[in-house]
Amino acid sequence: MCADAAMYEAKKSGKKRWVEYQFGMEKSLKRLSDLAQKLSLAEKNNELSLHYQPIIDITTDQITSFEALLRWYNPDLGNTSPQELIDVAEKTGLIHDIENWVLNRALKDLLTFKQIIGQHITMAVNISGLHMSEPNLGNYVFSLLKRYNLQPADLTIELTESVLLTNIDAVDSPANQMTKQGIKLSIDDFGTGYSSLAYLHAIPASVVKVDRAFLNQTENNTVTLECIQTLVSSLNMKSLIEGIETKSQASLLHSLGFNLQQGYFHGRPKPLDYYLSESFTQ
């Protein structure tokens, strides 16, 4: 077990590397093994669920969309963080099946949201970079839209990339297949990681989701946020900022032109049942 743990850590560092075993490495390996084994059965055992966080147009103070957020509860492991869930799913190859499940459930639930809030409501679903390169993704998405009698404009794909995508702007890429038919593509976590200025030209996106990191010391980042808003607008894209936690943040960002907002101030992620209950009032 100790040798296997060291070998796994070496593989994570890249090819032709070696790592000396350190106490505790085997715990991480066992954790990964346990997660992978139980995650492979999570859908079958009805352990996966979705919570929905509203996206607000602050000019009207109305919900325009929801982001579908994956949750996993296992009786033995308890609640697993979304980030750890996705990391394990990508490493084990389960990411395609899990995100296909998310797409199906989110679009099905969108029908309910349209009934209780309004036909204008749309749905945003996170898709990993690994899944986005799957050639059949577009066909699957269109089959779901047809099944639920939804329009392409009802769906926004939020691209979350843990790997640098290549050929995403190719004519036959899933991204181009979907956006040409009217599905919106959003660049998630803009300003961090691989979501850089270069991606604005490489990805056929219509929405840029600015990372919540820019909300730290908002006053000091005002100039940066103004520049981002100006750049995004000049490219005929919409900007959405996440992580809003206070009224003052919401007001300041509105003054900077960020009309689409998301965060705990506007609403925490909740299951569909919450929105069907009397406790939810728009």
Side-chain angles (χ1 to χ4, degrees), residues 41-99:
L41 300 173
E43 180 181 346
K44 178 182 177 181
N45 294 336
N46 296 315
E47 296 173 0
L48 300 178
S49 64
L50 293 181
H51 283 201
Y52 297 98
Q53 186 171 30
I55 295 170
I56 306 293
D57 184 340
I58 201 168
T59 60
T60 61
D61 199 30
Q62 298 293 310
I63 297 174
T64 64
S65 184
F66 285 93
E67 180 183 1
L69 299 167
L70 181 61
R71 299 289 186 262
W72 176 32
Y73 175 80
N74 176 270
D76 298 326
L77 299 173
N79 289 306
T80 301
S81 74
Q83 186 58 57
E84 188 175 28
L85 192 168
I86 296 301
D87 287 345
V88 172
E90 289 184 336
K91 290 173 182 175
T92 58
L94 294 169
I95 191 68
H96 302 80
D97 290 340
I98 289 175
E99 289 186 341

Side-chain angles (χ1 to χ4, degrees), residues 110 112-122 282:
L110 177 58
T112 303
F113 281 119
K114 285 181 174 291
Q115 291 175 352
I116 64 176
I117 299 179
Q119 291 299 312
H120 67 283
I121 296 295
T122 62
Q282 191 183 356

Side-chain angles (χ1 to χ4, degrees), residues 43-249:
E43 180 181 346
K44 178 182 177 181
N45 294 336
N46 296 315
E47 296 173 0
L48 300 178
S49 64
L50 293 181
H51 283 201
Y52 297 98
Q53 186 171 30
I55 295 170
I56 306 293
D57 184 340
I58 201 168
T59 60
T60 61
D61 199 30
Q62 298 293 310
I63 297 174
T64 64
S65 184
F66 285 93
E67 180 183 1
L69 299 167
L70 181 61
R71 299 289 186 262
W72 176 32
Y73 175 80
N74 176 270
D76 298 326
L77 299 173
N79 289 306
T80 301
S81 74
Q83 186 58 57
E84 188 175 28
L85 192 168
I86 296 301
D87 287 345
V88 172
E90 289 184 336
K91 290 173 182 175
T92 58
L94 294 169
I95 191 68
H96 302 80
D97 290 340
I98 289 175
E99 289 186 341
N100 282 347
W101 178 89
V102 172
L103 280 163
N104 181 55
R105 177 59 60 85
L107 291 178
K108 181 180 180 181
D109 287 351
L110 177 58
L111 296 178
T112 303
F113 281 119
K114 285 181 174 291
Q115 291 175 352
I116 64 176
I117 299 179
Q119 291 299 312
H120 67 283
I121 296 295
T122 62
M123 183 64 69
V125 177
N126 294 280
I127 296 295
S128 72
L130 291 176
H131 194 185
M132 199 65 187
S133 61
E134 169 59 44
N136 293 324
L137 176 61
N139 291 335
Y140 178 70
V141 170
F142 289 124
S143 71
L144 290 178
L145 292 173
K146 183 177 180 180
R147 178 187 304 174
Y148 297 118
N149 196 27
L150 293 166
Q151 300 302 312
D154 288 324
L155 175 63
T156 296
I157 297 293
E158 288 196 6
L159 181 59
T160 57
E161 68 281 12
S162 58
V163 295
L164 184 62
L165 292 176
T166 58
N167 299 323
I168 192 170
D169 57 343
V171 175
D172 59 348
S173 71
N176 268 322
Q177 291 175 7
M178 290 188 285
T179 55
K180 286 181 178 179
Q181 295 298 320
I183 294 173
K184 295 184 289 293
L185 191 64
S186 172
I187 300 176
D188 201 10
D189 300 330
F190 179 76
T192 64
Y194 296 119
S195 292
S196 63
L197 291 175
Y199 254 38
L200 290 181
H201 298 282
I203 297 178
S206 56
V207 180
V208 173
K209 195 168 187 179
V210 180
D211 189 79
R212 69 185 64 222
F214 288 98
L215 292 181
N216 297 330
Q217 298 181 324
T218 309
E219 292 77 8
N220 296 335
N221 284 326
T222 298
V223 173
T224 303
L225 288 166
E226 285 180 320
C227 291
I228 291 175
Q229 170 61 19
T230 300
L231 173 63
V232 171
S233 297
S234 69
L235 295 173
N236 295 318
M237 297 179 180
K238 292 183 178 181
S239 57
L240 188 162
I241 192 157
E242 58 182 338
I244 306 292
E245 296 186 352
T246 66
K247 183 176 181 179
S248 60
Q249 285 180 335

